[in-house]
Amino acid sequence: MRHFISLLTTVLLFVNTNAQTTEDSVKASVNQLFKAMHDADAAALLAVFDDSAVLETIVTTRDGQVKVQRESPAAFAAFLQKEEPGNADEQISFGAVHIDGNMAVVWTPYHFFYKKKFSHCGVNAFTLVRTGGQWRIRYIIDTRRKDPCLRKPGQ
């Protein structure tokens, strides 16, 4: 009996310390996007998106007009294919992660560096859907500005 309890305790500790939470798996999908960007890996980038994914950016024009620009994951991947690894380096911090069943919403302040130089900062808002046991990005909308940035990388 003593051996059984010892074995059971060991198994439970192992399972508990190695279990990935749903939040961890959502964050892993988001992190996969940024790793693919950094690595200039178009195939890995496309793998994280849902088939009907939409990418949008809120911009302010020179004359002060607010516009929303739309891009497809394929267009984003085509941009990455032309880059060297490390050129597109978006450093994020996780703000809020909300999950309800097979939907997740993630808020990530970021700083974007292009060819090692600060380009802009802002916030990404992701909507992910769990299909086929995988979290896929369905929608991204982001803001872009030079300053003020919400958080510095690593904070």
Side-chain angles (χ1 to χ4, degrees), residues 78-98:
F79 159 76
L80 273 185
Q81 282 183 313
K82 298 173 188 167
E83 295 299 321
E84 293 293 321
N87 279 1
D89 182 17
E90 188 160 333
Q91 299 175 10
I92 67 166
S93 58
F94 283 94
V97 177
H98 299 284

Side-chain angles (χ1 to χ4, degrees), residues 11-99:
V11 168
L12 288 175
L13 285 173
F14 178 78
V15 169
N16 192 32
T17 58
N18 289 316
Q20 186 179 43
T21 67
T22 303
E23 184 174 319
D24 290 337
S25 60
V26 168
K27 287 180 176 181
S29 290
V30 171
N31 282 329
Q32 180 183 343
L33 167 69
F34 295 111
K35 182 177 183 342
M37 282 176 58
H38 184 271
D39 295 347
D41 186 340
L45 178 97
L46 290 172
V48 76
F49 286 107
D50 181 70
D51 291 340
S52 301
V54 174
L55 290 72
E56 293 184 328
T57 298
I58 301 168
V59 296
T60 304
T61 63
R62 293 183 194 270
D63 62 356
Q65 297 288 322
V66 174
K67 301 217 177 213
V68 178
Q69 297 175 338
R70 182 172 283 193
E71 183 178 41
S72 69
F76 189 27
F79 159 76
L80 273 185
Q81 282 183 313
K82 298 173 188 167
E83 295 299 321
E84 293 293 321
N87 279 1
D89 182 17
E90 188 160 333
Q91 299 175 10
I92 67 166
S93 58
F94 283 94
V97 177
H98 299 284
I99 302 165

Side-chain angles (χ1 to χ4, degrees), residues 69-148:
Q69 297 175 338
R70 182 172 283 193
E71 183 178 41
S72 69
F76 189 27
F79 159 76
L80 273 185
Q81 282 183 313
K82 298 173 188 167
E83 295 299 321
E84 293 293 321
N87 279 1
D89 182 17
E90 188 160 333
Q91 299 175 10
I92 67 166
S93 58
F94 283 94
V97 177
H98 299 284
I99 302 165
D100 183 38
N102 292 311
M103 181 180 77
V105 177
V106 180
W107 178 271
T108 63
Y110 73 89
H111 289 73
F112 183 78
F113 297 85
Y114 185 66
K115 296 183 179 180
K116 310 236 184 272
K117 292 184 179 177
F118 175 76
S119 172
H120 60 274
C121 60
V123 172
N124 301 305
F126 295 88
T127 302
L128 295 90
V129 177
R130 185 173 38 205
T131 58
Q134 297 290 318
W135 287 101
R136 304 266 184 242
I137 298 169
R138 175 74 180 203
Y139 183 68
I140 302 172
I141 191 163
D142 65 67
T143 60
R144 294 183 188 179
R145 64 184 161 278
K146 294 283 184 192
D147 207 31

